[in-house]
Amino acid sequence: GAVVSQHPSWVICKSGTSVKIECRSLDFQATTMFWYRQFPKQSLMLMATSNEGSKATYEQGVEKDKFLINHASLTLSTLTVTSAHPEDSSFYICSAPPVRARPTNYNTEAFFGQGTRLTVV
Amino acid sequence: RKEVEQDPGPFNVPEGATVAFNCTYSNSASQSFFWYRQDCRKEPKLLMSVYSSGNEDGRFTAQLNRASQYISLLIRDSKLSDSATYLCVVKPGTGGYQKVTFGTGTKLQVIP
């Protein structure tokens, strides 16, 4: 099945630095990528939706200048956490809708990257 | 009211027990429903889709009640390996290119 590869799986960085997280679709073209954040004991919260070749759409309350999203190709979307602070420490995960195998395909699942655990110290 | 609500648990059950989780959703227009499983510090993985008529996959049974706007997951003959957090997922439509809304998850701990 379709695979989304996310890198790095974990990162520790100093406060004030920037961290880039990559998500690649390995055997399909991902025109859309969803980026989520999950704090401990909380649900996955959608941060933004990236679309290849256009600007990302951010959810309410998510700072677009802090969380830079780039979707320059059909197989790569990146999330950069700029000037990271300890409160940005979280589990970040991307998800791409699958390529429809058949026109009648429905109730399609989402394919997730492996997640990135960010710790800002 | 949250869009998707779940009892966070934890549910501590002995091996072999039957356990059920419920999930309520607020958007009556929602069309697609799923149960995902998330192990600690891992990505969520699809457990099963939930169909209007209800569906079963081995020890797992999912039900949808549109009138009351909830879905349920029943696990029979619990195994230690079933210990995980179970996420209820709701989509507004059936297409793939749509946002999904996750519940907070229900933690299950199966005890020897």
Side-chain angles (χ1 to χ4, degrees):
Chain A
V3 176
V4 175
S5 176
Q6 184 170 347
H7 177 81
S9 56
W10 62 269
V11 59
I12 301 174
C13 71
K14 290 185 177 180
S15 187
T17 60
S18 296
V19 174
K20 179 186 282 189
I21 301 169
E22 293 186 350
C23 274
R24 293 180 185 274
S25 56
L26 296 186
D27 54 0
F28 68 102
Q29 294 180 332
T31 55
T32 299
M33 190 77 76
F34 298 113
W35 286 95
Y36 295 88
R37 177 169 56 183
Q38 184 178 36
F39 291 108
K41 299 185 180 180
Q42 294 187 26
S43 64
L44 286 134
M45 297 300 295
L46 181 65
M47 297 175 66
T49 303
S50 73
N51 297 289
E52 187 268 335
S54 63
K55 289 184 180 180
T57 304
Y58 289 81
E59 296 300 302
Q60 193 173 14
V62 178
E63 299 174 58
K64 61 179 68 176
D65 294 330
K66 181 171 181 60
F67 299 98
L68 301 179
I69 289 175
N70 185 283
H71 196 147
S73 78
L74 288 170
T75 58
L76 175 64
S77 178
T78 61
L79 167 67
T80 301
V81 183
T82 63
S83 186
H85 290 283
E87 57 265 31
D88 298 323
S89 299
S90 186
F91 184 65
Y92 293 85
I93 193 164
C94 61
S95 167
V99 173
R100 296 188 177 198
R102 300 181 298 275
T104 57
N105 199 16
Y106 64 94
N107 271 5
T108 50
E109 62 183 280
F111 295 111
F112 287 90
Q114 297 89 340
T116 297
R117 188 157 299 279
L118 170 64
T119 302
V120 185
V121 297
Chain B
R1 182 184 174 187
K2 290 182 181 177
E3 288 186 63
V4 181
E5 291 199 69
Q6 293 181 252
D7 181 343
F11 284 59
N12 297 312
V13 302
E15 267 187 291
T18 295
V19 62
F21 309 135
N22 278 344
C23 165
T24 58
Y25 59 95
S26 62
N27 184 357
S28 60
S30 299
Q31 295 291 323
S32 304
F33 309 90
F34 308 87
W35 282 103
Y36 275 72
R37 170 195 170 127
Q38 186 177 25
D39 293 291
C40 188
R41 297 173 183 260
K42 300 275 188 175
E43 76 276 21
K45 293 188 177 176
L46 179 68
L47 180 65
M48 58 197 303
S49 301
V50 185
Y51 299 116
S52 297
S53 55
N55 48 301
E56 189 174 304
D57 183 3
R59 298 181 293 110
F60 299 86
T61 300
Q63 295 279 351
L64 167 63
N65 186 317
R66 286 191 184 273
S68 301
Q69 294 181 207
Y70 76 83
I71 67 172
S72 64
L73 176 67
L74 181 78
I75 305 175
R76 291 181 298 276
D77 188 23
S78 300
K79 311 288 185 191
L80 294 176
S81 57
D82 294 334
S83 298
T85 296
Y86 290 83
L87 303 172
C88 168
V89 175
V90 176
K91 268 197 330 192
T94 57
Y97 295 80
Q98 296 178 21
K99 299 178 191 178
V100 299
T101 301
F102 288 87
T104 51
T106 298
K107 187 171 183 179
L108 172 65
Q109 185 69 47
V110 181
I111 305 164

